[in-house]
């Protein structure tokens, strides 16, 4: 098989990518690492809503059912023949092991059948690329604020594949805090959009919730805030849910924005890029833009489609990895706890 490092990877290289790490079944076709020919996402959110969270076994089974139709749609929408695909990428982690295996196995099977290289992609690295896909004019160095259901981190991105984590949550992820508070307030699942919607009706200054670690480094902590919300509601059973939601959201957003700006200033970044599901939050987008502008920082707010899980970002990251590292061996597995590979060649790591 001609899957070697010498394969030329250029503007015409077409990557088909599959994403099945959590509850979205997605496939995309991207040319040259940034030209999105198609991006299809089939969300399982309705299936999991009745359980109040993602049920791993249910997710794996739904991925099995949805993946081939989603892949066919992605190829059809891209307007290409399958032979035009130069490489097949899939998310290899982090994520739910059963869910990951569906995408990884399918991508390897396509790679073998089509005799095209396989590329194993780190889901978190892909989230870093989502913002760049939406705005190719962004210039390094950048700070990426990655806020999802499983992760909250600030990443100093010096160049493609060269980055380090500047700070992360020491307990709950921001999205997890939104989901838990929403569940407590009976606002439904997923919690982020529900709190976002309730907040538009509430007063963000009604309750002064704690801003944990606001002046303390670049790490985050959200579990104390969640407890503060619960305690407040217990003590004030008649409090308006909308005011609690709005005040909680304001507390999360203030900390995220302050730390993102600090990280950008410390690394002389040209701007801040938002990523992850929580980046769809309307107050976060509004405040990040406002404060960023005040501090002379460029703020990139990717579209909702690019903030949440999708396969276009997997294809983009895969294209860069194929170019820098070559194909991934088909013997490589899926890794539920995969972390961001931290580059140490050009920037100091910690
Ligand atoms: O990136 P994502 O789609 O999946 C992963 O976790 O990888 O993020 C999902 C998270 C959930 O916790 C959801 O509640 C949150 O993003 N989220 C939001 C909003 N939309 C989604 N959080 C706050 N405001 C939103 N509008
Ligand atoms: Zn994600």
């Amino acid at each position: 098989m001609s899957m070697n490092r010498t394969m030329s990877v250029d503007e015409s290289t077409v990557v088909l990518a599959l994403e099945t790490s959590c509850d979205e079944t997605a496939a995309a076709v991207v040319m040259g690492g940034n030209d999105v020919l198609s991006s299809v996402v089939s969300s399982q959110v309705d299936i999991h809503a009745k359980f109040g969270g993602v049920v791993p076994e249910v997710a794996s089974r739904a991925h099995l059912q949805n993946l081939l139709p989603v892949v066919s749609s992605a190829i059809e929408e891209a307007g290409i023949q399958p032979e035009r695909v130069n490489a097949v990428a899939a998310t290899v982690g982090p994520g739910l092991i059963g869910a990951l295996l569906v995408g990884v196995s399918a991508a390897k099977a396509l790679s073998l059948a089509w005799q095209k290289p396989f590329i194993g992609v780190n889901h978190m690295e892909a989230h870093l690329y989502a913002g760049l896909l939406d705005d190719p004019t962004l210039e390094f160095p950048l700070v990426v604020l990655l806020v999802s259901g499983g992760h909250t981190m600030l990443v100093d991105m010096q160049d493609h594949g060269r980055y380090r984590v500047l700070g992360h949550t020491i307990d709950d992820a921001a999205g997890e805090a939104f989901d838990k508070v929403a569940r407590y307030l009976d606002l439904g699942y997923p919690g982020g959009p529900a709190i976002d919607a309730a907040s538009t009706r509430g007063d963000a200054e009604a309750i002064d919730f704690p801003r944990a670690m606001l002046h303390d480094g670049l790490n985050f902590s959200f579990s104390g805030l969640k407890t503060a919300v619960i305690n407040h509601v217990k003590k004030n059973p008649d409090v308006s849910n909308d005011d609690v939601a709005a005040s909680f959201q304001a507390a999360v957003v203030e900390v995220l924005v302050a730390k993102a700006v600090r990280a950008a200033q410390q690394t002389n970044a040209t701007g801040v890029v938002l990523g992850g599901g929580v980046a769809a939050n309307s107050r976060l987008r509004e405040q990040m833009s406002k404060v960023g502008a005040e501090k002379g920082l460029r703020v990139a707010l990717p579209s909702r489609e690019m903030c949440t899980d999708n396969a276009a970002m997997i294809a983009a990251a895969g294209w860069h990895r194929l170019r820098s590292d070559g194909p991934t061996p088909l013997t490589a597995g899926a890794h539920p706890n995969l972390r961001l590979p931290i580059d140490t060649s050009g920037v100091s790591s910690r």
Side-chain angles (χ1 to χ4, degrees), residues 123 127 148-150 175-176 178-179 190-193 196 276-278 280-281 307-309:
H123 183 87
H127 268 302
S148 73
E176 195 179 353
F178 271 94
D179 292 336
D196 202 342
V278 182
N281 184 267
C307 288
T308 53
D309 288 352

Side-chain angles (χ1 to χ4, degrees), residues 181 185 187 195 197-209 229 232-233 238-251:
V181 166
L185 299 178
L187 290 176
I195 289 196
S199 297
T200 60
R201 302 182 295 265
D203 176 3
E205 287 169 17
I207 309 151
D208 188 19
F209 285 129
V229 170
H232 185 88
V233 176
D238 296 329
V239 68
S240 139
N241 250 2
D242 294 344
D243 286 350
V244 175
S247 302
F248 158 79
Q249 178 176 279

